[in-house]
């Protein structure tokens, strides 16, 4: 078996794992089911976009940090880290723009703190980016840059549901555009810098863990929404403004 | 209502929350049920002790880091952080001693990497300790120094089950001894440094999140054990040596 | 030659080096000469105490950080780091108390930013504490805990010059009291954890570098004072209040 | 006075300061005088290139870190940080290539540790990049991207002295090429993000401090060379191989 075939096999292992985790998420996530059934409240969607704002704010930073803390890989890998960080910088503002475009006035709210589930994801990504195997953060990019085939139908559903224009979905549109190119790069990096079995395992572990933590974040949004509508929390009360649109 | 009463109420809120999370954990955790039913395999217990080793290795460090990164509280709070760090330092070696005392020879294994669930807990604690509200790490200590009433019956069960002597349970014995004193200090710190509603909420959030992540770690151990005994992973194969004891 | 003798020799090498650096500092430092001649302006002394405030604020933090970042030494060394951090915590407030006792009213000033020379020392200590050989920060403690024989005559001079009471010199008094015990501990740590020639060299390098950076800080104070009295900077104008005392 | 004029004035203040610091360095630096007189030993030049390797290894990292730790500036500033980091990544390998091209065989040496003066510069830059005013690191870039007019004559001198080809001076050639463009960007960033007087002061302070620390590094090289040729240190003994070329 030549090298290419060996690595093709390894990517197939990642892809099979990924497929099964996504399947599990689609089966279990109540938030996703709300989208699929067309019954998702615009306030729940808005809450999800605020969490997207939060983790995205840190993604370019922890991506760059991976390069800052890496001393055992060639400059080529650092360049990838800094370039990828560069391309992700400021994308949180797209998420913020999109949620505001739903009908939130600038002075009617301040951005709520992230949910604990979101902070768990953020904290884990900083930990992964600053310690341990320097290539393992690629596991996060592997699914994140390759997620649109899974989530595009959900976005289309939301688009139709709230009658959104493209310029109200800038976060997702921007990412779907650059995705294919990024994903190719991520695969090249994995192929180049995953040398040992342990490297591949570390990438797989971070892939699985960050995807599951992201799914937990969806659950967190769903649960927080229940608190909002049952008056158990007033943190997102400003979102009731969206009901009048 | 005088100050003491107000704070008593706030602690009651924490305690009620804590009780309900523990109840949920006891109801859901398959690992705990294995202990309660007396059917827990010694290999599963050993795997749990390795994870205990891992997160404990970082606990004194992230506790000290809370003081290193805190610039908005009086020296008194930093002293608490450093003193508490001091007292926790090296406790991971007790966990390691205890698991080895089950019958693992020094050269028969190297300590396995932490499970992803454990790394998630570790990463979150570093994040909590180095960013955001400097008092919020107290939420972790609040339940951790107050856990023995919940887990002592489980430890007693394990002790009987494997016929362990006290000197094979040094980790738990040491902690139960120092616990009461520590818990008193943690409460004093919370009373002194939780000034705003947000402070109390931040402590509560970290309390809940770290306890839930610890429960996830138990689930991780349970799942990894299934991989071991179904030959899907050989990472812990060295533990089969314990079956002969 | 037995071990003790070998190590005695190594300490003698450190001490001889230290003596020669101190001699050089005493010969070159204009600030020290101002003290010795009894002509030092109280404003220059006050400026020095503000810099003392700044680096002391970070000393306990970088001492603790040494333990946080150290994964290749036994818990005993971490305990030393956290305990030493604990003892140094809050000492910056003594320096602040002492400078205020000269006659500065609480609302007449805000603490000026550190001089660049002080930030260089602070930055180097964080770097030493978070990277490289974990024992090397002991080189800083080696001279800092052993400095009073060199600087006590200067403090006595200042005391007489401005007619200060002991409770206006709390920073120096506190340190001279605890010094002997600390210095013994520092030597024990060096003896125990300097195993290779490189370990001793690393400690010596940090000893020399931090002492020289501290001397640079004295020069920085001297130069900044010249700017104050020649009206080239108004950063410390609030110190003119001391002239009326 | 319109805005442009105001900022032109401020840049003139920086430039005047810079000119005077460079003049002072050219007057005091023994290493520079050795170059100017044409008497610099190739071993001293090689030692300087090793230090260049060391600080350059960290420059892209601390530049990226500035973006990682900055939460109070628009994405535009982070993009600058990551892009500039990207462009500097791996330049340490040019310095290493150049010093090896003088006649060092790959297996005849391992890269010596940085001199303490170099570690002081590195430590200060990490400190500046991770704390305090996020724009202040621009002060380092301001002189570093604008240094070639000062140092090009020295490089030309060295080129002639050792009869070097362009491909033995890749580090300096690469930087002189990209310099003009970079310097323009640095000025744009300073203009855009230095809003208050304090911002400009912070940039000026870091400009002055890092240039002086770089000059200290030259002194460090000069002094270490004296140790080499007087047999007081054998750290760079492998450089005697260059005498045979």
């Amino acid at each position: 078996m030549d090298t290419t075939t060996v690595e093709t096999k390894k990517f197939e292992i990642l892809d099979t794992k990924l497929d099964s985790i996504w399947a599990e998420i689609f089966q279990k996530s109540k938030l996703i089911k709300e989208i699929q059934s067309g019954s998702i409240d615009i306030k729940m969607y808005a809450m999800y976009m605020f969490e997207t704002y939060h983790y995205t704010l840190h993604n370019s930073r922890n991506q760059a940090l991976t390069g800052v803390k890496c001393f055992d890989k060639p400059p080529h890998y650092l360049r990838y880290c800094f370039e990828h960080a560069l391309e992700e910088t400021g994308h949180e503002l797209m998420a913020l723009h999109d949620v505001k475009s739903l009908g939130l006035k600038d002075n009617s709210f301040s951005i709520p703190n992230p949910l604990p589930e979101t902070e768990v994801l953020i904290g884990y990504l900083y930990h992964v980016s600053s310690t341990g195997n320097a290539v393992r953060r690629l596991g996060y990019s592997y699914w994140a840059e390759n997620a649109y085939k899974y989530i595009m139908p959900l976005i289309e559903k939301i688009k139709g549901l709230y009658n959104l224009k493209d310029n109200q979905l800038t976060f997702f549109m921007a990412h779907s555009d650059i995705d294919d190119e990024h994903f190719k790069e991520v695969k090249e990096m994995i192929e180049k810098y995953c040398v040992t079995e342990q490297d591949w395992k570390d990438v797989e572990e971070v892939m699985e863990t960050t995807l599951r933590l992201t799914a937990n974040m969806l659950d967190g949004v769903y649960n927080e929404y229940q608190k909002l509508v049952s008056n158990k929390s007033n943190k997102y009360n400003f979102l009731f403004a969206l009901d009048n649109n």
Side-chain angles (χ1 to χ4, degrees), chain A:
Chain A
M1 205 153 50
D2 65 23
T3 322
T4 317
T5 322
V6 170
E7 283 169 356
T8 303
K9 285 261 175 221
K10 286 178 193 288
F11 280 121
E12 280 170 16
I13 293 170
L14 292 186
D15 290 340
T16 306
K17 181 73 154 283
L18 209 46
D19 255 349
S20 80
I21 305 170
W22 274 112
E24 195 187 321
I25 292 171
F26 269 78
Q27 204 193 334
K28 286 189 189 165
S29 167
K30 291 180 183 169
L31 185 145
I32 289 178
K33 287 195 189 305
E34 298 267 318
I35 298 174
Q36 288 174 325
S37 70
S39 64
I40 184 171
D41 184 343
I42 197 167
K43 298 192 290 297
M44 194 192 288
Y45 168 66
M47 289 167 71
Y48 164 69
M49 289 307 288
F50 278 116
E51 299 313 305
T52 300
Y53 167 83
H54 280 300
Y55 77 77
T56 304
L57 176 71
H58 294 280
N59 270 357
S60 59
R61 288 170 168 86
N62 59 51
Q63 174 63 87
L65 191 59
T66 306
V68 171
K69 296 289 186 180
C70 171
F71 286 92
D72 65 352
K73 294 283 171 287
H76 180 252
Y77 183 58
L78 274 75
R79 264 183 225 117
Y80 163 80
C81 293
F82 297 148
E83 184 153 23
H84 196 189
L86 182 62
E87 285 163 4
E88 301 285 337
T89 302
H91 285 193
E92 71 277 6
L93 295 186
M94 293 186 198
L96 191 60
H97 164 274
D98 292 351
V99 71
K100 282 163 65 175
S101 84
L102 300 176
L104 295 175
K105 300 242 164 25
D106 258 337
N107 296 325
S108 69
F109 71 101
S110 53
I111 300 170
N113 290 337
L115 292 175
E117 289 84 355
T118 309
E119 275 219 83
V120 168
L121 172 62
I122 291 166
Y124 178 71
L125 279 167
Y126 276 115
H127 187 63
V128 159
S129 299
S130 55
T131 66
N133 192 335
V135 302
R136 61 185 181 156
R137 193 189 177 286
L138 290 165
Y140 177 45
S141 300
Y142 190 78
W143 77 257
E145 305 287 358
N146 186 24
Y148 285 84
K149 65 179 168 185
Y150 299 102
I151 67 174
M152 226 27 176
L154 302 175
I155 296 164
E156 287 301 328
K157 192 87 190 183
I158 280 173
K159 189 177 178 183
L161 205 54
Y162 309 134
N163 202 18
L164 300 179
K165 305 200 181 78
D166 278 4
N167 67 7
Q168 294 179 286
L169 287 163
T170 59
F171 180 81
F172 293 111
M173 292 304 154
H175 283 103
S176 63
D177 283 354
I178 55 178
D179 244 33
D180 285 351
E181 186 56 33
H182 272 188
F183 185 55
K184 225 182 108 205
E185 281 169 37
V186 172
K187 288 189 73 169
E188 280 169 15
M189 285 294 134
I190 292 176
E191 261 186 89
K192 198 172 183 69
Y193 295 112
C194 283
V195 176
T196 65
E197 278 302 308
Q198 190 61 47
D199 288 336
W200 283 91
K201 277 189 192 169
D202 289 345
V203 165
E204 184 179 330
E205 183 171 305
V206 170
M207 177 190 80
E208 176 165 3
T209 306
T210 51
L211 180 49
R212 290 195 185 281
L213 293 179
T214 302
N216 289 351
M217 189 185 78
L218 300 185
D219 292 346
V221 169
Y222 184 88
N223 295 334
E224 188 70 23
Y225 171 83
Q226 308 308 324
K227 291 187 200 165
L228 171 68
V229 293
S230 62
N231 282 320
K232 285 183 187 147
S233 164
N234 60 8
K235 188 175 165 190
Y236 296 91
N237 271 5
F238 65 94
L239 292 178
F240 283 109
L242 300 180
D243 291 344
N244 307 324
N245 289 11

